Amino acid sequence: FPSHDTGGLDVVQWKAIDVSDEQQNVQGFHGIKLSPTFARGRRITLEGVIVADDHALFRAGFIQTLESNNSVRVIAEAASGNQVIDSVKNTDAEIISLDLSMPEKSGIDLIKIIKEIAPRLNILVVSMHDEMSLIKLAIKNGAAGFLTKNASPEDVHTAIHTINKGGKYLPHDIAEKIS
């Protein structure tokens, strides 16, 4: 694609690449595989996310929210504890959004398992449960962040980017209750 003056804004340009390289590609329109190029001398990276929730409608909406930010791509979905474990083992995700109420294994047990098999994977708990004891237990066992399911899209994006950079994320109301 031709380059053009962006008025000082960072932009992502895309180029077509080898379609056989599934691990490093982003699904583009109409099945064309696209890959981010460099913008202003630095690579724009996409954050690969696994979305784990047993409710299909919630997963679909959450995925839409995540992918509305062009730096996030959902690389796997999981509807049960066993699917979570398979997804963690078989993808190169940087982040997993994890519901605490999952079939087959509890969210807390899954956090422990994920930390054993993929210690560098960042875990963002997204749950309808907002009991302080559960939140503290999730953080204690390795979750990097926590959101309730009534969080705004802005909070979701902030949480994803914060934990992907190595930070921790709790909404203000929860952080105040924990401290």
Side-chain angles (χ1 to χ4, degrees):
F1 296 108
S3 59
H4 56 282
D5 182 18
T6 63
L9 297 174
D10 288 333
V11 297
V12 176
Q13 293 181 329
W14 298 89
K15 66 177 182 175
I17 61 172
D18 181 6
V19 296
S20 65
D21 189 2
E22 294 293 329
Q23 290 287 326
Q24 297 178 1
N25 294 331
V26 178
Q27 182 69 40
F29 294 106
H30 307 293
I32 299 169
K33 297 291 183 177
L34 302 172
S35 174
T37 60
F38 291 85
R40 296 206 163 270
R42 63 181 194 267
R43 183 163 173 78
I44 304 297
T45 58
L46 295 177
E47 298 164 350
V49 179
I50 299 168
V51 175
D53 195 287
D54 57 326
H55 295 98
L57 187 59
F58 178 81
R59 274 196 324 273
F62 195 72
I63 289 168
Q64 189 173 29
T65 297
L66 288 173
E67 291 184 339
S68 70
N69 183 319
N70 292 330
S71 66
V72 177
R73 66 187 169 105
V74 174
I75 60 174
E77 296 180 47
S80 69
N82 290 335
Q83 288 178 1
V84 167
I85 295 166
D86 290 342
S87 295
V88 169
K89 287 180 179 178
N90 296 312
T91 67
D92 60 348
E94 290 90 17
I95 300 169
I96 182 169
S97 71
L98 179 66
D99 187 12
L100 288 179
S101 299
M102 296 288 287
E104 302 167 349
K105 297 191 184 331
S106 77
I108 299 299
D109 288 341
L110 285 167
I111 292 169
K112 294 173 187 176
I113 293 167
I114 291 166
K115 285 302 174 184
E116 287 177 18
I117 60 177
R120 298 176 80 182
L121 182 61
N122 293 305
I123 302 169
L124 173 63
V125 172
V126 181
S127 180
M128 66 179 195
H129 303 289
D130 62 355
E131 296 87 17
M132 287 304 116
S133 60
L134 274 177
I135 296 169
K136 288 178 181 179
L137 193 55
I139 301 297
K140 176 184 173 192
N141 282 289
F146 187 95
L147 287 173
T148 58
K149 288 187 176 179
N150 64 357
S152 71
E154 294 79 19
D155 286 342
V156 171
H157 293 294
T158 300
I160 290 288
H161 294 300
T162 299
I163 68 171
N164 195 50
K165 292 177 183 175
K168 306 288 183 192
Y169 185 86
L170 293 173
H172 296 294
D173 59 328
I174 292 175
E176 288 175 358
K177 291 177 187 175
I178 286 182
S179 56

